[in-house]
Amino acid sequence: MKALFVKTPGDDPELDLRDVETPVPGHGEALVKVSSAGVCSHDVAIMRGLLRRGVDLDVILGHEISGIVDAVGSEVEGIAVGDAVVSTLTVFCGECDRCLSGHEYRCRTGHGLGHGVNGGFAEYIVLPERCLIPLPEGVSVEQASIVACPMGVALQALKDVARVRPGETVLVTGAGGGLGIHALQIAAALGAQVMGATYSEDKLTLLERFAPGQVILGGELDFSELVLAFTEDQGADVVIDTVGSAVFYSALRSLGQFGRMVLLGEVEGGRVSFNLTEVIFRDAAIRGSSGASKAHITQVLDLILDGKLEPVISHRVPLSDAKDAYHLVRDRESIGRVVLVP
Ligand SMILES: [Zn+2]
Ligand SMILES: [Zn+2]
């Protein structure tokens, strides 16, 4: 089968589509023919060489994977050949304390797909049955590739980490990105008043659909002034930051009293330093969040079926043109997700 490897990371990375042996499903495993694989900023950071620690370039990238079951090993009972499935983000044990408490994406012996074990930028992938979720009718196999990350990741951040309540104000930074555009919709589905900040003027029209009248063009400006204007000087109850250090100060100044800021991404690999009183006197919380559990994936599928959440995929790129996908994501030219099609 064909699989994508990063030969030389860098701003202009050398990517290599190589023939490797198609894996064979063992006990309790299934072989999935990959239909679609989302390109995450995490993959782009590895291609770019921004992320090097613990990165093995012999591992196939891609953790946002959907496809059709092509073969099953022994003792596979819940799925069958021909089923459309989405994968979890991690190959997990299902037995440790974290798995049993619904945090299987942080399994103590788990391996992140596309990081610790081969991911989905390939024609096929073998996964344990417990890592595959069959798709309900009404969700396409292409849409499913982005159901765990970024959609499930956004759901966890809003619902379980920020604990957004109906009527609260939520600001999403990087609102045109894969995490951002789905976070906007999920926040609205949770009953929040949503605001989105974006750097890209050409994304405004589409974003207006998800946050009518409340989309802020960030540019070089400090967008907190506009957030304060939108919230009658109260600031946002919740800030979902998908950009990181590049907008940190604006994001922090946008946060209201008792506000919760959830950090979901660090695009530039930068640093911040700030006066701690900004957090203390706001009685604020700043938390990180990553990953999504099987329960989040199922909840996202339900939100799509209920018409409350629309998966946004702007570009479909053949695996052989992965470099184009890299540029689209790096240069923020996409809206929502770019997916690779093997
Ligand atoms: Zn991702
Ligand atoms: Zn575990």
Side-chain angles (χ1 to χ4, degrees), residues 45-63:
I46 291 173
M47 291 176 183
R48 230 174 147 176
L50 294 178
L51 254 183
R52 290 180 189 268
R53 196 167 60 95
V55 172
D56 178 354
L57 293 182
D58 289 327
V59 171
I60 302 167
L61 289 177
H63 56 267

Side-chain angles (χ1 to χ4, degrees), residues 272-315:
V272 295
S273 74
F274 61 97
N275 189 322
L276 297 178
T277 57
E278 300 258 18
V279 175
I280 296 167
F281 291 114
R282 277 188 175 83
D283 304 288
I286 300 179
R287 287 191 58 182
S289 181
S290 62
S293 66
K294 273 179 102 163
H296 293 120
I297 295 171
T298 307
Q299 288 164 37
V300 165
L301 291 170
D302 288 342
L303 283 169
I304 297 172
L305 292 174
D306 289 347
K308 291 180 176 159
L309 182 52
E310 178 187 324
V312 181
I313 294 173
S314 64
H315 296 79

Side-chain angles (χ1 to χ4, degrees), residues 131-172:
C131 298
L132 296 170
I133 297 145
L135 298 183
E137 221 156 290
V139 178
S140 76
V141 70
E142 180 189 82
Q143 292 175 326
S145 59
I146 63 168
V147 153
C149 179
M151 299 169 94
V153 173
L155 178 67
Q156 166 170 275
L158 283 155
K159 190 165 158 268
D160 298 343
V161 180
R163 295 176 183 273
V164 170
R165 294 182 291 268
E168 286 193 311
T169 48
V170 174
L171 167 71
V172 177

